[in-house]
Amino acid sequence: MRATIDKCTIELQQGDITEQHVDAIVNAANSRLAGGGGVDGAIHRRGGPEIMAETRRKYPHGCPTGSAVISGAGNLPAKYVIHAVGPVWQGGGAGEAELLAGAFRRSLELAVEHDCRSVAFPAISAGAYGYPLDQAAAVALRTVIDFLRANGRPEIVRFVLFDARAYGAFAAALEQVTSENPIDRP
Ligand code: ADP
């Protein structure tokens, strides 16, 4: 499924983000940038030790929740990995939505600063961090659409969803967001 925002495209795809041939893939990292399970584990496993060596050197204090940092991509087909730190879900009253939006916004800013034309995101916070998938999808898509409207870049933002449940949640959220806020949906 896809939607166009001005000259930019948002795409939804089911798959493994480590296989994406895009300028940057986004990691759902933790604030210590210490690696872990889920998408983070897959990225470091397939990308090799270079990625963590670089983040340790450049970001020894880690990255605050709601923000992101960037590194090379080691053995992965992408050029960069953007390590975004989403919030742990605590019931919704602890600023989770703003923190999740911040992680997406900062990732997009870093992508633009590094001339990335295509960026792939996973469903940040919606795995081990427990963010309800439908709400995570709505925040993710609204934040990306607002950013593309304001900045006109990156050209392609792709959400790579690991399973059919995540894909379905993002597809429903994209329908919802685009019907509230009409944009082209070829
Ligand atoms: P968080 O700790 O931010 O919740 P997780 O990695 O636990 O991060 O989960 C985030 C989402 O990424 C989940 O929907 C999970 O199913 C998905 N995921 C796990 N591995 C991959 C992968 N290789 N590619 C894309 N998405 C993945």
Side-chain angles (χ1 to χ4, degrees), residues 133-153:
L133 195 49
D134 49 350
Q135 293 183 54
V139 170
L141 288 164
R142 285 208 184 92
T143 305
V144 168
I145 289 169
D146 288 349
F147 187 92
L148 295 179
R149 286 220 170 97
N151 297 279
R153 297 192 284 171

Side-chain angles (χ1 to χ4, degrees), residues 36 56 174:
R56 284 223 172 95
L174 187 56

